[in-house]
Amino acid sequence: MLFLPAAALCCLCSALVTMAAELIQKDLTLTATPGKKVSFSCGTSQCSGSYVHWYQKKDGDKFRVILHINIRTGEVNSDYNHAQRKDFSAVKNENSCELEINAVSLVHSAIYYCSCAQSSHNRIFGSGAKLYVTATPVAKPSVTVYQAASSDHLEEKRSLLCVASQMVPPVVKITWKSQKQDGSPLAAPPGDTEQLDIIESDYTASILLIHQQDENSHTYGCSVTHEGGTVEGQIEEGVSQSPPKELPPDTLSTNQTLTEGPSSEHPVSQKQVKLLCLVYTVLITKSLVYCCGVSLLRLIRRSRKHAAD
């Protein structure tokens, strides 16, 4: 019985590894005015089969197949009864293929996914690229990095908050980078960190929870990827092994504003940061309850099976 939680955890990890494999779609979003030509790229190096399918997903609608392309011969098949199938075409390149729309209109506003077979029993998808058909120009995000001082000095934890707002279109990807104070190259944060992303209609936020157990101090910064370009956050001041003693508990201080212009139009208050931390705690609790529930169900099923035998 002691192995049941471990077995459930192994099954969950296996599913997550399968989900982690995906095709590379380099664009988060594409913005175009009506009548313009657009193309969506999809890396095909992970495909074991010959065909890549393209799907369209509109808000409130199901996935609809547009066409498939043979990535070896370049042959395209559009016999899927899509309402706008004549508007789409596809071309193959080396290790990639592209879905093209010659003249976009509002009816084409949707998310576009590519998919192919990775093995005989496993199909993988791209992350999706959302098409915005509008005359509004693309605008880079305004990015601000906050430092939240933790009151839990015993566990030596620290939270960093990166907020991106005022961007058009409103879709970004936030990644964190770390650097040792000895000047080592930038890299992904060490394994003793946790990240939570929160997406709202007018902003996207990312919380980095740092478990300060490394003897070497690190500095941190966020990088925000957007259709208009990448906004690199300046490196946070060092995180030492002991939390800063000059900051009282639950103090929020702005370390650096990473914008080309003022960002005071959408300030983030201390209450908002506390709310983000509360959401983070709730998500962790839900994950623990789910794992316990799965283990309990497996235990009950095994007990009933033994009783029946």
Side-chain angles (χ1 to χ4, degrees):
M1 290 189 294
L2 293 176
F3 293 100
L4 288 177
L9 183 59
C10 288
C11 292
L12 180 60
C13 291
S14 177
L16 290 175
V17 170
T18 302
M19 293 170 60
E22 64 177 26
L23 297 177
I24 298 177
Q25 290 186 250
K26 63 180 181 180
D27 298 308
L28 290 173
T29 61
L30 286 176
T31 303
T33 56
K36 295 293 184 178
K37 179 180 179 178
V38 297
S39 61
F40 304 89
S41 177
C42 177
T44 57
S45 58
Q46 299 186 63
C47 300
S48 62
S50 300
Y51 299 99
V52 171
H53 289 75
W54 282 95
Y55 296 81
Q56 182 188 67
K57 175 68 172 65
K58 294 185 177 182
D59 293 340
D61 196 6
K62 63 181 181 180
F63 281 80
R64 297 187 181 276
V65 185
I66 303 170
L67 55 79
H68 75 250
I69 180 173
N70 188 317
I71 56 177
R72 307 191 193 284
T73 66
E75 182 182 358
V76 178
N77 187 338
S78 304
D79 296 334
Y80 290 99
N81 295 322
H82 190 279
Q84 293 89 40
R85 61 183 178 275
K86 294 183 179 180
D87 298 340
F88 297 92
S89 60
V91 295
K92 83 174 188 71
N93 302 311
E94 185 178 359
N95 295 325
S96 69
C97 66
E98 293 184 359
L99 176 71
E100 297 180 340
I101 308 176
N102 290 324
V104 298
S105 62
L106 289 176
V107 73
H108 297 128
S109 299
I111 304 177
Y112 293 87
Y113 297 87
C114 59
S115 174
C116 72
Q118 188 183 39
S119 64
S120 58
H121 59 278
N122 185 27
R123 190 168 193 84
I124 55 176
F125 284 76
S127 56
K130 188 167 186 177
L131 174 62
Y132 290 88
V133 181
T134 176
T136 304
V138 173
K140 283 186 178 182
S142 170
V143 180
T144 310
V145 178
Y146 294 92
Q147 171 182 280
S150 173
S151 60
D152 192 352
H153 288 202
L154 296 178
E155 296 187 11
E156 296 184 339
K157 295 181 180 179
R158 179 186 176 196
S159 298
L160 299 179
L161 175 66
C162 180
V163 181
S165 61
Q166 306 177 41
M167 56 273 188
V168 179
V171 179
V172 296
K173 181 180 180 180
I174 300 178
T175 55
W176 290 91
K177 296 180 180 180
S178 67
Q179 183 180 31
K180 290 185 178 181
Q181 288 187 345
D182 60 7
S184 300
L186 287 173
D192 55 353
T193 60
E194 301 174 46
Q195 180 175 343
L196 171 68
D197 293 333
I198 299 175
I199 302 175
E200 297 291 343
S201 59
D202 56 345
Y203 71 89
T204 296
S206 179
I207 300 174
L208 184 69
L209 181 62
I210 306 168
H211 301 269
Q212 302 176 47
Q213 299 173 353
D214 194 348
E215 294 181 357
N216 299 316
S217 297
H218 286 77
T219 56
Y220 294 83
C222 67
S223 176
V224 180
T225 304
H226 183 261
E227 182 180 344
T230 300
V231 180
E232 294 287 350
Q234 293 184 4
I235 299 301
E236 285 278 341
E237 73 176 44
V239 181
S240 61
Q241 199 168 15
S242 300
K245 295 182 179 180
E246 66 271 12
L247 294 176
D250 301 324
T251 296
L252 177 69
S253 63
T254 303
N255 277 356
Q256 182 71 31
T257 301
L258 313 173
T259 64
E260 298 179 356
S263 60
S264 59
E265 296 181 8
H266 299 279
V268 178
S269 66
Q270 184 175 353
K271 291 184 179 179
Q272 288 176 306
V273 176
K274 289 183 177 179
L275 178 59
L276 294 178
C277 293
L278 176 61
V279 172
Y280 180 79
T281 303
V282 171
L283 291 176
I284 293 178
T285 304
K286 288 176 63 178
S287 299
L288 292 175
V289 172
Y290 173 78
C291 292
C292 293
V294 170
S295 300
L296 181 60
L297 288 175
R298 291 174 63 90
L299 178 62
I300 293 174
R301 291 180 61 184
R302 178 165 293 186
S303 299
R304 290 180 176 176
K305 183 178 181 180
H306 288 170
D309 294 340

